[in-house]
Amino acid sequence: MPASIGAVMPFRYIDIYGWKGDFSEKFIKVEFSRSSKYESRGVISFSGGQTADELNRILELTNHTIEATSFAGVFVDGDRERLPYEADAYINQLGWFANVGDVTVPRRTFEYLVKHPSWPTEWQAHMIFMAWADYLQTGDIKFLRKHYDWLKTLSLEEAISESGMVDVTKISPELKEKLKVTYPLGDIVDWPPSQRDGHEMLANNTVTNAFVYMGFKRMADIARALGEESDRSRFSDLANSLKAVMEAKVRGQDGLYVDGIGSTHTSAHSLFIPLAFGMVDNNQRGDVLKTLATKVGSYGGGFPGSVFTAQYLLEGLFESGEDDLALALMLNKTERGWMNMLNKYDATITHEAWDVQFKYNEDWTHAWGAAPANIIPRFILGINATEPGWARWEIKPSKVLTFSAKAKIPTPHGLIDIMYD
């Protein structure tokens, strides 16, 4: 750790055996570290029944996670590694904006990752997502301009192979060198591997290419914001072309995406990642949602993917009007949900995996599990910026909000103060 912080060891509780006589809390001194930029400005509380109480517990868990994992002044990937990773940082950033509103820590994390990128193919797109989230929050075009050329490299435009998709086995050494990736570049889909719902890891991977597609879409948005019209048009064309190729090459006989070129298997991830990214057309949406509901049922009502991909499954469900299923997943009592962390482990910070049985060396301080910190304000309260810098915003409460809520949502212009009765 930096010298200014010193040694940091997260702990949950201490058992003291054999103490004679009374024991006072004055006998214990606890020191903690968090970012100097952390200030709990965003507050949400629900009332009116069991669902409200359980959402409050999950919010307390995920919001404290955002606070506690800021101790290094950047978003770190748990205590085992203590390094920023792109996907983790993006989910952390969204929760940080909802809680704190500060841009310093997210930007410092982004700048670190520009110099020290990590290896998963899909993680490259998350830097584009982070840059766009920064612009929506701040309206600051200078940050986009500063990193624009690097974001173009991260789009993986240069990695489209003769198949018309990104083939991870054919990414050139020259591009890998440009990307500054020190480990072998590879698709991850989900982590740990046991949480991929049997996804076939093929070279032309549906999930990877869905992330590339969304990266192209966001790059078109960024190019538009910067007035780079030729780039905007090119990235829009790249997105449309990639979607068309995937429609032709990874669409199964049942009309659903399979896991990649040559696959006959459809994992949950090949359904909900494209769904979250707007790749599922209206005439296909019903079948995708029906199959997803079946997948969830096969896991006893728990998440069919990991803690990380819960972000995208929930986004896809809420954006498709499946608010009831999304809420049921958030509150599910199986071993594959946040209530398991709370009830079984008395968690105060979200875990790397849903349960130790899924990852023997799982980290108990992992902010990529803190999706509810952003999902609840964005989709249950329905508060979102519709123009960069919150110049305009909307509130569209979910149909599942059948109980009362009070909230303060930080924006660059001050707090949005909400009471929902």
Side-chain angles (χ1 to χ4, degrees):
M1 297 304 302
S4 60
I5 294 177
V8 178
M9 176 59 68
F11 69 92
R12 299 293 304 284
Y13 57 85
I14 298 172
D15 283 342
I16 299 176
Y17 298 94
W19 185 268
K20 304 300 183 184
D22 295 334
F23 188 86
S24 169
E25 62 183 30
K26 296 178 182 178
F27 297 167
I28 295 180
K29 179 182 179 182
V30 179
E31 294 183 351
F32 70 93
S33 182
R34 69 181 180 198
S35 169
S36 61
K37 297 295 183 180
Y38 182 85
E39 179 185 354
S40 182
R41 298 174 64 230
V43 180
I44 300 173
S45 64
F46 299 105
S47 59
Q50 181 178 345
T51 297
D53 293 342
E54 289 175 348
L55 282 175
N56 285 336
R57 291 183 68 197
I58 290 175
L59 271 170
E60 183 181 20
L61 169 67
T62 55
N63 289 352
H64 180 251
T65 298
I66 300 298
E67 175 184 2
T69 56
S70 70
F71 63 87
V74 292
F75 300 141
V76 294
D77 177 14
D79 181 60
R80 190 181 64 251
E81 294 168 288
R82 296 195 189 186
L83 291 169
Y85 283 79
E86 293 85 345
D88 308 63
Y90 174 60
I91 294 170
N92 208 331
Q93 175 192 36
L94 296 178
W96 181 267
F97 284 155
N99 275 263
V100 185
D102 161 74
V103 74
T104 309
V105 175
R107 286 188 175 181
R108 188 182 294 125
T109 306
F110 185 97
E111 300 276 3
Y112 177 93
L113 288 165
V114 169
K115 297 177 182 177
H116 308 283
S118 61
W119 59 270
T121 320
E122 301 95 312
W123 271 211
Q124 315 310 307
H126 281 82
M127 289 289 280
I128 301 172
F129 300 170
M130 284 188 75
W132 182 250
D134 179 284
Y135 181 55
L136 275 183
Q137 180 70 18
T138 67
D140 181 7
I141 206 167
K142 294 178 183 177
F143 189 74
L144 288 182
R145 175 60 70 188
K146 177 181 178 181
H147 296 289
Y148 184 56
D149 288 339
W150 179 238
L151 293 171
K152 287 197 287 186
T153 300
L154 294 176
S155 75
L156 300 185
E157 174 186 357
E158 298 177 51
I160 298 293
S161 69
E162 67 273 11
S163 69
M165 297 169 63
V166 169
D167 178 339
V168 73
T169 67
K170 295 182 179 179
I171 296 178
S172 70
E174 293 78 15
L175 179 56
K176 291 177 183 177
E177 186 175 352
K178 276 189 189 180
L179 292 169
K180 299 185 286 190
V181 176
T182 56
Y183 290 90
L185 193 68
D187 301 339
I188 194 169
V189 175
D190 209 341
W191 198 260
S194 64
Q195 303 305 290
R196 293 172 178 158
D197 188 43
H199 186 97
E200 289 190 73
M201 300 299 287
L202 298 168
N204 295 272
N205 192 310
T206 296
V207 169
T208 297
N209 279 273
F211 274 100
V212 174
Y213 167 84
M214 196 64 208
F216 288 158
K217 296 284 285 185
R218 283 289 171 256
M219 284 305 301
D221 293 334
I222 290 170
R224 180 188 295 110
L226 294 174
E228 300 284 352
E229 181 55 32
S230 62
D231 282 352
R232 184 209 62 77
S233 178
R234 189 178 79 260
F235 281 117
S236 293
D237 290 345
L238 283 166
N240 293 335
S241 175
L242 179 55
K243 184 175 184 292
V245 169
M246 292 178 68
E247 291 289 323
K249 296 189 176 182
V250 294
R251 180 75 67 188
Q253 292 183 348
D254 57 4
L256 306 176
Y257 283 126
V258 292
D259 294 341
I261 293 179
S263 177
T264 58
H265 179 263
T266 296
S267 69
H269 302 67
S270 293
L271 297 169
F272 68 74
I273 298 293
L275 179 69
F277 294 158
M279 300 182 71
V280 178
D281 297 332
N282 289 335
N283 62 337
Q284 301 160 337
R285 193 174 299 269
D287 289 339
V288 168
L289 291 170
K290 181 179 179 181
T291 308
L292 263 179
T294 301
K295 289 276 190 183
V296 171
S298 70
Y299 287 89
F303 281 91
S306 79
V307 178
F308 151 58
T309 53
Q311 174 76 39
Y312 295 110
L313 176 52
L314 291 173
E315 284 186 3
L317 291 175
F318 275 116
E319 288 168 355
S320 301
E322 294 295 319
D323 300 35
D324 291 314
L325 178 55
L327 180 63
L329 269 169
M330 290 178 69
L331 301 181
N332 87 81
K333 307 299 192 300
T334 75
E335 60 202 6
R336 308 180 67 85
W338 287 284
M339 298 305 293
N340 184 62
M341 295 183 196
L342 289 165
N343 294 336
K344 182 176 179 180
Y345 296 102
D346 294 322
T348 58
I349 302 176
T350 54
H351 297 180
E352 183 182 10
W354 293 123
D355 195 279
V356 172
Q357 64 181 293
F358 304 127
K359 196 171 193 297
Y360 76 93
N361 66 337
E362 77 152 336
D363 197 310
W364 284 18
T365 54
H366 226 78
W368 82 347
N374 76 80
I375 292 290
I376 288 173
R378 291 170 59 210
F379 293 106
I380 292 185
L381 291 179
I383 305 165
N384 288 283
T386 56
E387 290 183 9
W390 291 81
R392 295 178 68 87
W393 56 274
E394 67 181 12
I395 175 167
K396 293 183 178 180
S398 168
K399 62 185 178 182
V400 300
L401 191 55
T402 57
F403 38 88
S404 296
K406 292 183 179 180
K408 295 182 186 295
I409 305 297
T411 80
H413 311 290
L415 295 171
I416 299 173
D417 198 349
I418 296 158
M419 183 175 71
Y420 184 89
D421 188 345

